[in-house]
Amino acid sequence: MSLVRLNIKGISYSQTQNGAYALILSEVDGERKLPIVIGAFEAQSIAIALEKEIKPPRPLTHDLFKNFADRFDIVVKQVIIHKLVDGVFYSSVICERDKIEEIIDARTSDAIALALRFQAPIFTYKNILDQAGIYLKVNPKKDDATDTESLLVDELVSDDVEMVGKETSYKDLSLEELNQMLNQAVANEDYELAARVRDEISKRS
């Protein structure tokens, strides 16, 4: 079976179902998207890894794993989403130490959080993408792909979904207020909020 490389398109969350998140992956050489429902902790960890400028005051679990692996010369080479059963994705983390390769079973959300920290590629098999991949069509009235993605996640986790990083009430805040909010969010270890605020600050830079 042939492998298809994936990139992370973004993380979406539900305002009506607490703790409901979806990770959107997209094929590198194609237009299909692979939506995966993940937990709040994993969504937070992935968001932090994507936002390079946000540094947690203490290491998250996946950061601890990375530090542990670095200390013992273990490298994550790649992540493969290898199975889909009853809507649940199964993944493997391909590791290497002393030129010996090991395959470790992992939840897909954990595997991707680690892949980001090791800058390792993410793959799935073509048959899985054929089965669960979705073509997103832009809304012709709004010509906005984000709206279409929100509708997709709507079907997965909620009736009311908003993309992480999408413009919210932050537009009424000044840059000084946003920076204060960012610092407070990091101090409180609310990295989901910190990622959204940082995205708003970046759009104004």
Side-chain angles (χ1 to χ4, degrees), residues 151-201:
L151 290 174
L152 165 62
V153 182
D154 178 36
E155 297 176 358
L156 291 171
V157 296
S158 171
D159 293 328
D160 185 11
V161 175
E162 179 181 343
M163 292 298 293
V164 167
K166 186 178 179 181
E167 184 177 1
T168 62
S169 58
Y170 307 138
K171 65 182 180 181
D172 298 323
L173 300 177
S174 67
L175 275 175
E176 182 179 355
E177 290 172 321
L178 286 171
N179 278 299
Q180 289 176 351
M181 182 182 291
L182 174 62
N183 292 334
Q184 187 62 45
V186 172
N188 294 336
E189 300 187 11
D190 186 350
Y191 304 120
E192 175 196 327
L193 172 61
R196 295 202 301 271
V197 174
R198 178 63 203 171
D199 189 70
E200 176 64 25
I201 292 173

Side-chain angles (χ1 to χ4, degrees), residues 6-116:
L6 303 170
N7 283 334
I8 296 176
K9 174 70 174 176
I11 303 172
S12 300
Y13 68 98
S14 168
Q15 292 183 345
T16 60
Q17 293 190 26
N18 189 32
Y21 293 79
L23 175 67
I24 309 284
L25 304 175
S26 60
E27 59 177 330
V28 172
D29 297 317
E31 300 179 355
R32 287 176 294 183
K33 304 295 186 291
L34 190 66
I36 300 174
V37 175
I38 62 177
F41 172 77
E42 291 76 17
Q44 174 179 277
S45 183
I46 291 171
I48 286 297
L50 290 171
E51 292 287 341
K52 304 293 185 183
E53 297 181 34
I54 298 177
K55 301 296 182 184
R58 296 180 298 172
L60 302 179
T61 302
H62 297 107
D63 297 320
L64 176 62
F65 183 96
K66 174 67 162 56
N67 295 338
F68 183 90
D70 288 344
R71 182 67 60 90
F72 291 95
D73 297 321
I74 300 169
V75 177
V76 171
K77 305 291 290 184
Q78 62 183 4
V79 163
I80 300 177
I81 303 171
H82 64 84
K83 186 168 65 173
L84 173 60
V85 179
D86 296 329
V88 177
F89 292 90
Y90 294 78
S91 294
S92 295
V93 178
I94 314 302
C95 303
E96 184 178 274
R97 181 174 184 267
D98 294 334
K99 297 183 179 181
I100 299 175
E101 189 173 276
E102 298 284 350
I103 301 175
I104 300 175
D105 181 48
R107 295 187 304 172
T108 297
S109 53
D110 289 328
I112 291 175
L114 291 175
L116 283 169

Side-chain angles (χ1 to χ4, degrees), residues 125-169:
Y125 289 108
K126 183 179 179 299
N127 67 315
I128 292 178
L129 200 55
D130 290 340
Q131 181 181 351
I134 299 174
Y135 288 97
L136 294 181
K137 296 181 180 179
V138 176
N139 187 327
K141 294 183 179 180
K142 296 186 178 181
D143 193 30
D144 188 348
T146 300
D147 290 331
T148 307
E149 290 174 1
S150 293
L151 290 174
L152 165 62
V153 182
D154 178 36
E155 297 176 358
L156 291 171
V157 296
S158 171
D159 293 328
D160 185 11
V161 175
E162 179 181 343
M163 292 298 293
V164 167
K166 186 178 179 181
E167 184 177 1
T168 62
S169 58

